[in-house]
Amino acid sequence: MLESVNEAEALNAQVIPDAEFRAAQEKARSAEEIDVTPVECDVYAEAAPEDRAAEATGAAMTFAGESSLQPDSITVASLPSEEAARAEVEAIRAQLDVCTEYTIVVSGQEITTTVSEIAVDTAADADLALRTTAQVPGTIQESVTVRAVVGSTVLDVLVGASTDREADIARAARLADLVVAELSVL
């Protein structure tokens, strides 16, 4: 499915299949000690990502986007049930009630992050869009993430922000819709 989107859009993406994707996630989880303040915003401390990795199959692809600071990416995970997939969207909405600003310290580097929900319209069964601003020493990185659910599949589209916020949202929604279209023919 990701290969089809890659070819259709001429993204020149690197597609990471399930086994490599799992290995990269495990390496990232075990490589760094991550401290998040306030504690209630520490999604890294929850068991859900590891439980999800054990239950889900997934893949990802990264490719050059509009932002020169970070690549764009699409991540897809097939969960055991539609309820589990929809629960992930609702968990993010619930987290936004508590955590719209937090600080992450990774390897001594402090990153202050703000997150807000933005409007999006995709062809998915359920969706959610977020604008994230991360202040890293020396730079500010903004991104738009669209999380969409189709049946028991969850997909995340991350687009590095450009100077045109509406275009960023439209780009992320369009990429999500391309994956949704591919999922509908499976």
Side-chain angles (χ1 to χ4, degrees), residues 6-93:
N6 183 27
E7 289 175 22
E9 293 297 300
L11 296 173
N12 195 28
Q14 176 187 2
V15 177
I16 304 161
D18 185 61
E20 290 176 41
F21 184 59
R22 285 175 187 269
Q25 286 180 316
E26 185 58 38
K27 184 177 179 181
R29 271 195 295 276
S30 63
E32 307 268 358
E33 185 65 33
I34 300 172
D35 293 315
V36 179
T37 308
V39 173
E40 58 269 14
C41 298
D42 190 356
V43 296
Y44 302 101
E46 296 176 8
E50 290 175 9
D51 292 346
R52 180 187 193 208
E55 295 177 350
T57 57
M61 73 177 182
T62 61
F63 47 96
E66 303 296 317
S67 170
S68 62
L69 296 176
Q70 64 184 356
D72 291 351
S73 65
I74 300 174
T75 305
V76 180
S78 179
L79 300 183
S81 69
E82 291 182 25
E83 294 78 21
R86 286 182 182 266
E88 289 205 2
V89 171
E90 294 313 313
I92 292 172
R93 279 206 172 94

Side-chain angles (χ1 to χ4, degrees), residues 19 38 50 76 95 101 140 178:
E50 290 175 9
V76 180
Q95 186 74 12
E101 186 170 338
I140 296 175
L178 290 170

Side-chain angles (χ1 to χ4, degrees), residues 2 4 7 9 22 36 38-39 43 57 65 69 90 95 98 102 105 107 114 116-117 143 153 161 174 177 185:
L2 292 178
S4 294
E7 289 175 22
E9 293 297 300
R22 285 175 187 269
V36 179
V39 173
V43 296
T57 57
L69 296 176
E90 294 313 313
Q95 186 74 12
V98 179
Y102 52 93
V105 179
S107 299
T114 57
S116 59
E117 186 171 358
S143 62
T153 302
R174 188 175 66 72
D177 283 343
V185 296

Side-chain angles (χ1 to χ4, degrees), residues 65-72 111-116 118 130-136 139-145 157-166 168-169:
E66 303 296 317
S67 170
S68 62
L69 296 176
Q70 64 184 356
D72 291 351
I111 304 165
T112 302
T113 304
T114 57
V115 180
S116 59
I118 52 179
L130 304 172
R131 174 168 299 284
T132 304
T133 303
Q135 295 181 6
V136 182
T139 187
I140 296 175
Q141 295 181 358
E142 290 190 7
S143 62
V144 170
T145 302
V157 176
L158 175 79
V159 171
S162 68
T163 56
D164 186 342
R165 291 180 174 203
E166 292 303 314
D168 297 336
I169 296 165

